[in-house]
Amino acid sequence: MITRFAFVLAASLAFVGCAPVPQAPIADPPLASGLGRVYFYRTTFSIGSDSGLLGNVAKPVLMLDGRPVAEASPGSVFFCDVAPGRHQVTVRANQAYSLTITSVPNQANYVKLDWGVVGLTGQSHVSEASAAVGGQEIEGRPRIAATCPQAGG
């Protein structure tokens, strides 16, 4: 029992040592008039599959309107500018989780991805956060590149 505890403690400390180095926040480019912006972000650090706590870190693929945008790695933040209206967000790993959002001109939507440990908390894997919550949760976090569908196309 003590050996198992020591192993878990050592493994946990090893992951702490691998934490990303904080980067200076960058300003997002201005939003083109008439478009909406959708921020996607992942807050949970998971070890294992999309529902497990052991194994490799899951990086589910996020799709917007049926097109792959980026891998949702732990701590990632990325965004796409979109035409106003309804958009389908799908996250694919062992199974697909979907959410429909409605974009409004000159405003932002925030799609929160909780992956890996959510089975323990009962939360959804994909949910829309309010502007206040989403804005706070992505504040100061570096952005990763995304391959966005062309707005209006």
Side-chain angles (χ1 to χ4, degrees), residues 39-62:
Y39 287 96
F40 305 95
Y41 65 101
R42 182 169 167 191
T43 58
T44 54
F45 177 78
S46 63
I47 304 171
S49 66
D50 60 345
S51 62
L53 292 175
L54 300 172
N56 297 323
V57 176
K59 294 181 186 176
V61 174
L62 182 128

Side-chain angles (χ1 to χ4, degrees), residues 8-9 32 44 46 57 68 72 80 86 94 106 108 117 119 124 151:
V8 170
L9 180 61
T44 54
S46 63
V57 176
C80 289
R86 294 170 56 104
N94 293 340
N106 307 313
V117 296
S124 299

Side-chain angles (χ1 to χ4, degrees), residues 60-101:
V61 174
L62 182 128
M63 299 178 75
L64 178 62
D65 297 330
R67 298 182 188 145
V69 173
E71 285 186 344
S73 57
S76 61
V77 177
F78 47 97
F79 65 87
C80 289
D81 293 343
V82 297
R86 294 170 56 104
H87 297 277
Q88 186 74 28
V89 176
T90 304
V91 181
R92 294 185 185 275
N94 293 340
Q95 63 184 50
Y97 302 91
S98 294
L99 171 72
T100 300
I101 60 169

Side-chain angles (χ1 to χ4, degrees), residues 64-153:
L64 178 62
D65 297 330
R67 298 182 188 145
V69 173
E71 285 186 344
S73 57
S76 61
V77 177
F78 47 97
F79 65 87
C80 289
D81 293 343
V82 297
R86 294 170 56 104
H87 297 277
Q88 186 74 28
V89 176
T90 304
V91 181
R92 294 185 185 275
N94 293 340
Q95 63 184 50
Y97 302 91
S98 294
L99 171 72
T100 300
I101 60 169
T102 301
S103 176
V104 176
N106 307 313
Q107 292 186 17
N109 295 72
Y110 296 85
V111 176
K112 183 175 184 173
L113 311 169
D114 284 318
W115 217 259
V117 296
V118 295
L120 300 176
T121 63
Q123 298 175 8
S124 299
H125 287 299
V126 180
S127 61
E128 190 166 9
S130 69
V133 170
Q136 181 180 12
E137 290 185 327
I138 69 167
E139 186 177 331
R141 291 170 56 187
R143 309 308 193 238
I144 64 169
T147 306
C148 302
Q150 255 189 274

